[in-house]
Amino acid sequence: MGKEKIILTGDRPTGRLHIGHYVGSLRRRVELQNSGLFDKTFIFIADAQALTDNMDNPEKVRQNVIEVALDYLACGLDPTKSTIFIQSQIPELCELSFYYMNLVTVSRLQRNPTVKTEIQMRNFETSIPVGFFTYPISQAADITAFKATTVPVGEDQEPMIEQAREIVRRFNHIYGETLVEPEILLPDNAACLRLPGTDGKAKMSKSLGNCIYLSDTADEVTKKIKSMYTDPNHLRVDDPGQIEGNTVFTYLDAFCRPEHFERYLPDYPNLAELKAHYQRGGLGDMKVKKFLTAIMQEELEPIRNRRKEFEKDIPAIYEMLKKGCDVARAQAANTLDEVRRAMKINYFDDAELIAEQSKKFKGE
Ligand code: TRP
């Protein structure tokens, strides 16, 4: 029997999810969930990881668990097809992390590029919390506890997956083949790898106020696109415009499909022609923004409506999460059991060990 194909991924609950999350991973997860190509799908809310840099603000994390769960359901993650759960409710992950810590050096963690950038971004330089510093190890526990083969995430998570793979190889080398090496699954479209904020800045982030949220109202979305960063030198309609670094076109790269032209902009056959016209001059920003707005509303409206429905029964969402935690916990416990056996710390069900020790002390 070939090994099972298992998807696992998650998000930190530090805010509502935005369209960067959506094109970076969420949209893909839903497709994978529905593709029938995978034996299991695990999606989780990484509250324990969120606490590694929000230790003084647990309320923020607590409030956002449900927001993320609602965003998941709104996007089409389906608890009858995917196990949706909360990280902190799976204590087995802590135990796995504890053993994996012995397989990773401090200098290896210091070289993790994502950790490095995050330390700078948070001004942690001289006071890095140990839990934060070691979160790549805990993330390896998240992944391996569920024997994930496929981890759909954004580009910034690449060093995390690489570190998890190293831990798996080291564990298997020392203790025998036990853990499964995961593969990263990145978005196949360059614009989706790192969707810029509406201000054109490299990354969408709540603190920069440059996000379009999945739960934004139609008006909010329209307003945000209207004030979106374009080419600052494209002053008159007739001026030639730049596509590179032009947020409106980057978003079109991420969201536009051929049928959108028939529906909303039949004068153009495709995106390449639209871009060419903009570059030649004679195409105004407002026209392109209107087109993008129509596309975004079409994509976001069903998500927004589904969210509204789910918001009507919040206790049911917690109940769904609780069930997900039960399923996830059983799976993680199973893996932990195998890990303990491999490490031979399963003293009480190791008859061979007990017999051997008893012989030794009898002097046989
Ligand atoms: N680090 C991820 C993020 O910030 C969240 C995460 C935690 C995760 N554990 C994971 C993603 C395991 C994939 C697999 O978005």
Side-chain angles (χ1 to χ4, degrees):
M1 198 188 86
K3 78 177 173 208
E4 281 191 298
K5 291 176 73 178
I6 299 176
I7 295 177
L8 172 129
T9 188
D11 301 274
R12 296 183 194 181
T14 53
R16 292 177 289 149
L17 299 182
H18 52 61
I19 59 171
H21 295 114
Y22 183 67
V23 296
S25 157
L26 215 38
R27 179 165 69 179
R28 187 70 162 289
R29 285 179 213 174
V30 177
E31 285 166 16
L32 296 173
Q33 167 199 266
N34 296 334
S35 70
L37 293 171
F38 290 83
D39 299 291
K40 290 180 191 147
T41 303
F42 293 97
I43 309 286
F44 72 101
I45 302 173
D47 63 333
Q49 187 175 105
L51 285 170
T52 65
D53 64 336
N54 288 284
M55 64 300 276
D56 50 356
N57 199 355
E59 194 52 26
K60 171 167 116 186
V61 175
R62 181 168 175 261
Q63 294 294 331
N64 280 302
V65 167
I66 191 79
E67 298 282 357
V68 172
L70 284 165
D71 284 330
Y72 281 172
L73 296 169
C75 285
L77 286 177
D78 175 351
T80 68
K81 296 181 186 157
S82 297
T83 302
I84 306 175
F85 66 98
I86 307 176
Q87 185 188 27
S88 62
Q89 304 308 299
I90 318 297
E92 285 76 9
L93 299 176
C94 302
E95 191 173 332
L96 285 175
S97 305
F98 192 62
Y99 301 135
Y100 295 170
M101 283 194 183
N102 303 325
L103 309 177
V104 180
T105 63
V106 170
S107 69
R108 176 62 183 86
L109 282 172
Q110 278 166 334
R111 268 185 284 121
N112 184 309
T114 303
V115 173
K116 256 191 184 162
T117 340
E118 287 180 333
I119 286 171
Q120 275 167 8
M121 267 162 44
R122 289 164 179 71
N123 293 319
F124 271 164
E125 278 89 355
T126 53
S127 54
I128 309 168
V130 173
F132 178 82
F133 183 62
T134 56
Y135 92 73
I137 300 175
S138 118
Q139 188 155 336
D142 301 337
I143 296 170
T144 54
F146 301 94
K147 303 217 158 97
T149 50
T150 309
V151 184
V153 279
E155 201 182 22
D156 61 321
Q157 295 297 304
E158 211 160 11
M160 299 299 153
I161 312 303
E162 190 45 46
Q163 186 128 37
R165 290 168 62 90
E166 282 176 32
I167 290 173
V168 169
R169 286 197 289 265
R170 201 154 156 67
F171 187 100
N172 288 348
H173 176 73
I174 300 173
Y175 303 113
E177 205 62 27
T178 312
L179 303 172
V180 176
E181 239 183 273
E183 308 257 359
I184 190 169
L185 186 65
L186 291 170
D188 36 27
N189 172 336
C192 298
L193 269 180
R194 195 165 271 259
L195 197 74
T198 52
D199 57 358
K201 296 252 164 60
K203 213 183 158 171
M204 271 201 190
S205 104
K206 191 162 66 190
S207 53
L208 293 173
N210 61 0
C211 312
I212 295 177
Y213 293 98
L214 292 171
S215 48
D216 275 347
T217 63
D219 278 355
E220 283 168 325
V221 173
T222 303
K223 230 180 258 155
K224 286 178 182 180
I225 295 177
K226 207 175 257 171
S227 62
M228 192 175 268
Y229 179 85
T230 58
D231 169 7
N233 298 317
H234 186 238
L235 298 174
R236 276 161 310 191
V237 173
D238 289 339
D239 291 341
Q242 274 236 352
I243 301 295
E244 297 76 33
N246 187 323
T247 317
V248 179
F249 282 97
T250 310
Y251 279 39
L252 284 176
D253 281 330
F255 285 97
C256 182
R257 293 188 301 271
E259 68 263 27
H260 290 138
F261 282 93
E262 292 155 37
R263 276 210 277 285
Y264 307 118
L265 208 58
D267 297 351
Y268 296 85
N270 54 40
L271 191 53
E273 292 289 325
L274 188 74
K275 285 181 178 173
H277 192 186
Y278 192 82
Q279 284 170 313
R280 272 200 312 275
L283 174 58
D285 280 356
M286 267 344 275
K287 186 161 178 178
V288 191
K289 284 182 173 177
K290 278 216 175 99
F291 179 49
L292 176 64
T293 305
I295 294 172
M296 297 294 301
Q297 300 294 13
E298 180 185 318
E299 184 101 11
L300 295 178
E301 192 186 56
I303 297 176
R304 198 182 296 134
N305 292 343
R306 271 198 301 267
R307 198 186 210 269
K308 283 258 147 42
E309 282 306 306
F310 285 113
E311 285 172 0
K312 288 180 185 159
D313 193 355
I314 294 297
I317 314 278
Y318 282 107
E319 197 48 43
M320 176 280 289
L321 289 170
K322 182 161 180 273
K323 287 207 182 103
C325 287
D326 290 343
V327 173
R329 204 168 165 194
Q331 176 73 57
N334 215 13
T335 304
L336 180 58
D337 202 55
E338 291 171 15
V339 161
R340 285 160 159 257
R341 271 171 213 284
M343 295 175 71
K344 295 192 177 293
I345 53 174
N346 58 323
Y347 307 107
F348 308 128
D349 57 7
D350 188 345
E352 208 177 298
L353 168 74
I354 298 170
E356 179 194 309
Q357 294 301 324
S358 122
K359 250 193 203 166
K360 185 172 93 191
F361 285 95
K362 277 188 195 143
E364 284 174 21

